[in-house]
Amino acid sequence: MSGRNVFTLLEETARVCGNAGALHQPSGSKAGGGHRTYSWNEWLEASREIALGLRRLGLKNGEIAGILSETRAEFYIVDLGIMGAGGVAGALYTAYPVSELARNITSIQPRFLFIEDAKLWQELADAIRTSGGAFPSEVIVMTGSPVEGTRGLADVQALGQQALAENPEEFKQIQETISPSDPAILYLTSGATGEPKMSLTSHAAVLANADMAPIVLPITPQDSTLVFLPSAHIAQRIVLEIVPMRMGTPVWFSESLNKLPNELRTIRPTMFLAPPRVWERMYATIQNEGKRYGKTKQKIFRAALKLGIAATRLREAGKRVPLHMAAALKMADRLVYRKIRERLGGRIRIAASGAAPLGRELAEFYSGIGMPLFEGYGLTEAGVLCLNPLGHARPGSIGKALPGVELRTADDGELQVRTPCLFEGYYKDPAATRSVMTEDGWFSTGDIAESDADGYWYITGRKKELIVSSNGKKIYPSRVENLFKVEPVINQILLIGDKKPYVTALLTVNTAQAQSLDVPVEKAVQEAVGRVNQQLADFERIRRFRILQHDFSIERGELTPTMKIRRSRVLENYAPLLAELYLGKEEMH
């Protein structure tokens, strides 16, 4: 029954890397470099103790233990402890309102819940009490002091130490009861196109994904990564927790998004994964700062960026960069590109974008400055599926299928996949599971896709988000929305127009960029819309738009924790404003 499981990966790496630093958690002070470092051996020992402690508290094989915590060293340690005990690690998105978290807890009904600190537990307990839900019987506080009715993480570890002293073979005996086909992780889908679902993934599926890494993501113990994405998301869990654990690559945890720019400069990671929203903000900041230069420097700055993009397009077309352009690129690198890369630490060799689609123009910008973004593609239900080959990224593409992954398109263009990383099914929802599986065993992704002759895949839209105008024209909003990612004044955009005579949009503005403008914000936005409209067919063009006074937010249910817009919730929240957009004569922009 026993076999290789996720905990085995940690054991394998600890045998090789031993006392080298594995996890670097900000300590909140400058003492000792401002980080608490756990070696691979310390990580292994702590997770093993938690596993044994959980078994002493009654955790059974296949039982779900919830984790409600920001991404931090203690999360990684607890995550492996739960899986090492034969349990199922179910992480929750901390960014969601407490009332929604209470609903998640009520749906899962875990007996065990690890929570970041006592303050968060007190808020959650009030929400669960208000909703009439059941409380977990074992609440374990991961940092700080526990409160009445909870335990500290150290208390669970002490139980594990006691178990190990009484029976040194106990952990090995537990491992022998875990089968590769057993569930290891309970994921929550992001809920971008509907209410979040819960997805069960086996040890074997996680291991299959991790074992693809040496072929497509060659990182080593000499590399490092800086992480900040929520650990409930599969991109963070697989690419930035499980894969570095398999490859022996040390992980540094960000203290906060506000401190991320400075952390990039001081930690200087060699691999960095971020969603498009982060790359967009970096781009907007770079463009905004370029405007502060004198006229001569501004001219050099703009010319350098234009040159880099032109070179990128030549390479993508399989053409050689002319000698005169190559010489100019060297000059541009010294004067402009290198300075931009140094702001990100200057050592990033794998800059990846994931968790949402990346615009082609944005990808061309980063490729042009000598730091190409390697866009990938994955799903909660099917793991990481595609990645642009390192050194051969194609802007706008999600890359090629990973080894062992099969892709095809249905008659309507929907991407379908077959992979050893496929989930076991939606938790307690067999009907939903059946709805996404074909009769011959392929998973239907909900994404519309196409591939080129070289095997690169491109996502053109979401099936559920397709806009069909009243005259029958089909518009994929993500394709149009992606064109705005290189318009610094635009922060967020949502296209509207299903069953309507023309396309409209809701927009939010980049505040920092707006403050630096020489023209009114409305005029700058109208000019940005006009530039995008020039790239569109007549039926796709935005005829009217409204600028919102605030950004879409997670708190109002308009964004997922990875910053994807939940279209249906936005349409619901702004229904009166949307009605105004279709009153009277259409405005041409």
Side-chain angles (χ1 to χ4, degrees):
M1 182 179 183
S2 66
R4 192 163 172 249
N5 62 57
V6 176
F7 197 91
T8 310
L9 294 181
L10 181 56
E11 291 178 320
E12 292 169 353
T13 301
R15 278 196 292 270
V16 175
C17 297
N19 292 322
L23 308 176
H24 303 270
Q25 173 63 35
S27 63
S29 71
K30 294 187 177 180
H35 287 84
R36 158 67 163 104
T37 296
Y38 296 84
S39 71
W40 294 97
N41 284 335
E42 287 174 323
W43 181 2
L44 176 67
E45 183 181 11
S47 292
R48 185 188 290 134
E49 290 169 354
I50 288 167
L52 288 165
L54 285 171
R55 296 292 285 215
R56 284 291 169 104
L57 291 170
L59 181 76
K60 297 181 176 61
N61 282 47
E63 185 172 3
I64 295 167
I67 314 175
L68 181 56
S69 166
E70 299 289 347
T71 295
R72 53 186 302 125
E74 290 85 354
F75 183 103
Y76 282 35
I77 292 167
V78 165
D79 200 30
L80 268 292
I82 294 169
M83 287 187 268
V88 181
L92 302 170
Y93 284 106
T94 56
Y96 280 141
V98 175
S99 58
E100 191 159 345
L101 292 172
R103 285 199 298 274
N104 291 152
I105 294 294
T106 301
S107 297
I108 300 170
Q109 295 182 323
R111 286 196 301 136
F112 296 84
L113 175 66
F114 288 85
I115 196 157
E116 184 163 351
D117 55 40
K119 181 176 181 294
L120 180 56
W121 166 243
Q122 288 168 334
E123 293 172 0
L124 182 62
D126 288 342
I128 293 173
R129 190 177 296 110
T130 300
S131 67
F135 286 87
S137 55
E138 289 288 350
V139 177
I140 299 126
V141 176
M142 295 163 63
T143 67
S145 302
V147 293
E148 185 179 353
T150 70
R151 297 175 188 267
L153 191 59
D155 299 328
V156 179
Q157 287 183 248
L159 286 173
Q161 291 162 4
Q162 181 182 337
L164 202 59
E166 293 174 0
N167 180 6
E169 296 296 310
E170 185 170 338
F171 185 75
K172 182 181 178 182
Q173 292 163 358
I174 293 168
Q175 292 292 289
E176 290 173 351
T177 70
I178 302 172
S179 167
S181 61
D182 289 343
I185 297 175
L186 179 72
Y187 289 110
L188 263 70
T189 63
S190 66
T193 58
E195 287 305 308
K197 301 185 188 75
M198 291 177 283
S199 169
L200 277 170
T201 301
S202 70
H203 286 272
V206 176
L207 291 171
N209 230 176
D211 286 342
M212 296 171 184
I215 304 169
V216 297
L217 198 65
I219 53 175
T220 71
Q222 283 67 53
D223 284 293
S224 61
T225 186
L226 174 64
V227 305
F228 66 96
L229 287 170
S231 281
H233 196 279
I234 193 167
Q236 163 63 35
R237 203 71 156 278
I238 296 295
V239 182
L240 298 176
E241 179 185 343
I242 304 296
V243 168
M245 183 177 72
R246 187 196 188 286
M247 309 295 278
T249 303
V251 175
W252 298 74
F253 297 89
S254 175
E255 193 166 355
S256 70
L257 269 177
N258 290 335
K259 295 186 178 182
L260 187 62
N262 186 59
E263 290 169 334
L264 284 166
R265 288 190 291 270
T266 56
I267 293 168
R268 304 181 67 224
T270 60
M271 182 176 80
F272 183 63
L273 168 66
R277 288 294 297 142
V278 171
W279 298 113
E280 289 165 29
R281 287 173 181 175
M282 289 180 182
Y283 170 83
T285 300
I286 291 164
Q287 292 284 359
N288 191 34
E289 292 184 358
K291 292 181 178 179
R292 298 175 187 171
Y293 299 145
K295 288 186 178 179
T296 302
K297 282 191 174 181
Q298 273 195 40
K299 189 174 180 181
I300 292 170
F301 179 78
R302 287 196 297 267
L305 297 186
K306 187 175 180 181
L307 179 70
I309 291 171
T312 292
R313 290 175 178 171
L314 281 174
R315 295 187 192 104
E316 186 185 351
K319 297 177 182 178
R320 182 177 295 178
V321 175
L323 288 176
H324 73 276
M325 185 182 283
L329 283 167
K330 287 183 180 178
M331 176 89 59
D333 187 71
R334 190 175 77 251
L335 296 175
V336 179
Y337 309 155
R338 192 181 304 169
K339 292 177 181 178
I340 295 174
R341 295 197 302 269
E342 284 172 355
R343 292 185 51 171
L344 304 177
R347 294 205 312 149
I348 295 177
R349 66 181 187 87
I350 302 174
S353 180
L358 179 75
R360 178 189 180 90
E361 289 75 11
L362 198 65
E364 288 179 338
F365 165 80
Y366 283 101
S367 182
I369 65 168
M371 198 180 73
L373 298 184
F374 296 96
E375 188 172 7
Y377 172 77
L379 297 163
T380 304
E381 299 92 341
V384 182
L385 297 162
C386 294
L387 183 69
N388 269 275
L390 298 185
H392 301 281
R394 290 195 179 175
S397 166
I398 57 170
K400 295 184 175 185
L402 298 185
V405 174
E406 298 175 82
L407 305 177
R408 73 181 187 188
T409 51
D411 292 340
D412 61 358
E414 183 179 8
L415 181 65
Q416 296 177 336
V417 304
R418 191 157 60 183
T419 170
C421 312
L422 195 64
F423 75 148
E424 299 298 297
Y426 294 118
Y427 182 58
K428 294 183 178 179
D429 199 343
T433 304
R434 288 193 298 272
S435 73
V436 295
M437 299 301 300
T438 66
E439 290 183 1
D440 55 347
W442 291 69
F443 177 80
S444 300
T445 67
D447 287 313
I448 304 298
E450 58 189 25
S451 62
D452 63 20
D454 297 320
Y456 285 80
W457 285 84
Y458 301 81
I459 301 296
T460 57
R462 286 288 295 171
K463 190 173 177 179
K464 287 185 178 179
E465 293 177 354
L466 175 67
I467 290 174
V468 181
S469 63
S470 57
N471 60 5
K473 296 289 186 180
K474 293 182 179 179
I475 301 151
Y476 289 103
S478 63
R479 190 184 79 80
V480 178
E481 291 162 359
N482 281 341
L483 296 175
F484 283 92
K485 291 182 176 181
V486 289
E487 293 292 344
V489 72
I490 305 296
N491 197 25
Q492 299 161 314
I493 180 167
L494 181 87
L495 249 62
I496 304 130
D498 196 43
K499 300 181 179 65
K500 303 292 184 184
Y502 52 87
V503 176
T504 62
L506 296 179
L507 305 161
T508 71
V509 170
N510 183 319
T511 306
Q513 178 71 14
Q515 291 171 349
S516 68
L517 295 172
D518 297 327
V519 298
V521 172
E522 291 79 4
K523 181 174 175 58
V525 170
Q526 187 160 332
E527 289 173 351
V529 172
R531 284 190 290 271
V532 170
N533 274 345
Q534 289 175 10
Q535 304 172 61
L536 302 174
D538 183 68
F539 66 87
E540 296 175 302
R541 290 176 183 161
I542 298 168
R543 310 293 177 173
R544 277 182 159 184
F545 61 82
R546 290 292 182 270
I547 301 172
L548 303 179
Q549 298 305 307
H550 49 72
D551 288 344
F552 300 131
S553 76
I554 295 173
E555 291 72 24
R556 290 189 298 275
E558 298 156 354
L559 293 178
T560 71
T562 52
M563 309 307 285
K564 286 186 281 191
I565 296 176
R566 297 172 78 175
R567 194 172 296 270
S568 60
R569 186 63 63 86
V570 172
L571 297 179
E572 178 185 323
N573 289 357
Y574 294 95
L577 186 56
L578 299 182
E580 291 177 14
L581 285 169
Y582 290 94
L583 290 175
K585 188 178 179 181
E586 67 182 70
E587 303 161 8
M588 301 294 291
H589 296 291

